[in-house]
Amino acid sequence: MSDTVESVIVAIDGPSGTGKSSTSKAVAAALGLSYLDTGAQYRAITWWMVSNGIDVADPVAVASAAGKPVIESGTDPAAPTITVDGLDAAAPIRTQEVTAKVSAVSAVPEVRTRITELQRSIAAAAEKGIVVEGRDIGTTVLPDADLKIFLTASPEARAARRSGEIKGSDVAATREALIKRDAADSSRTTSPLAKADDAVEVDTTDLTLQQVIECVVTLVEERRGGDAAQVEGHSAGAESRRSATEGAEKRAAK
């Protein structure tokens, strides 16, 4: 990629199991952009709370401790990192215990304020641009992002994908857990999971990961190129998404 290409901030939101992480990392790598997994930051602060004996069911206790851990995120899409107080947290933040408690911690306003400030500072420091994935990026964290994408998929497809990532997990139980988390994330008072009004929605249910990546890369290049779509680009972007998807499906069928 040429250094003269205009910087771009891409917000990718959506619930668990829609392919946000895989898509975001691949798109960032393909376009020479930085990458930030905001969910990992909420997992990191949850892990710190659990490790330090904070009662995550007590919002007051969580709020009072929200400013204590030092969380740092590496933004190389080929090797993203996350540390808490200097310790590598990549593995421990993915445990079932953290997964079960992250929604409660994430719902605390003081936690969201702290992490949102961190996310904004990281995005502002990305010289060539950044792909930021999460649940409230386009609506709350980076409402002025150059391109907003909302990934969706059926609960069944999401459960199958997530179960494939976790050895020995039950698809039905995973599906119920995903639906429960969706409800918690969508109904919280502070920065709920929601699709931004100007976001392009991409349903990944029947698409391969490569097809989703191609769709998003096309949308980013279109926006960064400043072609006719521009911001009235919601409908124009949707049309380009359909074209990209159709093209990917035709190639996959050959």
Side-chain angles (χ1 to χ4, degrees), residues 14-211:
S16 300
T18 54
K20 290 196 309 296
S21 294
S22 298
T23 298
S24 298
K25 282 187 282 191
V27 169
L31 297 175
L33 306 176
S34 296
Y35 160 75
L36 178 62
D37 175 1
T38 63
Q41 295 175 321
Y42 283 105
R43 284 177 172 273
I45 198 168
T46 300
W47 175 62
W48 184 92
M49 297 279 177
V50 171
S51 300
N52 285 274
I54 306 298
D55 181 2
V56 299
D58 180 354
V60 175
V62 171
S64 65
K68 295 181 179 180
V70 176
I71 299 171
E72 297 184 344
S73 297
T75 58
D76 179 354
T81 60
I82 185 156
T83 63
V84 181
D85 294 340
L87 299 174
D88 181 2
I93 66 172
R94 301 297 174 182
T95 63
Q96 286 296 103
E97 181 179 23
V98 170
T99 297
K101 296 178 177 179
V102 66
S103 284
V105 173
S106 300
V108 177
E110 289 80 359
V111 169
R112 299 208 73 82
T113 296
R114 161 84 195 286
I115 299 299
T116 294
E117 290 175 351
L118 176 61
Q119 292 162 0
R120 287 173 175 165
S121 66
I122 291 172
E127 294 182 3
K128 295 183 179 180
I130 190 168
V131 178
V132 184
E133 59 138 315
R135 286 170 170 74
D136 66 339
I137 310 307
T139 54
T140 301
V141 180
L142 300 169
D144 296 324
D146 299 295
L147 177 65
K148 303 174 188 177
I149 294 171
F150 193 84
L151 298 185
T152 64
S154 70
E156 291 74 21
R158 293 165 54 207
R161 293 168 185 168
R162 188 48 52 89
S163 295
E165 297 169 0
I166 306 172
K167 293 182 179 179
S169 61
D170 177 79
V171 176
T174 300
R175 178 181 181 278
E176 292 307 310
L178 287 173
I179 291 174
K180 183 177 180 181
R181 182 163 184 193
D182 287 350
D185 290 347
S186 300
S187 62
R188 65 179 177 234
T189 303
T190 305
S191 301
L193 163 67
K195 174 187 171 186
D197 291 339
D198 54 347
V200 177
E201 182 172 326
V202 178
D203 187 337
T204 70
T205 302
D206 298 317
L207 299 178
T208 65
L209 174 59
Q210 188 56 40
Q211 288 170 342

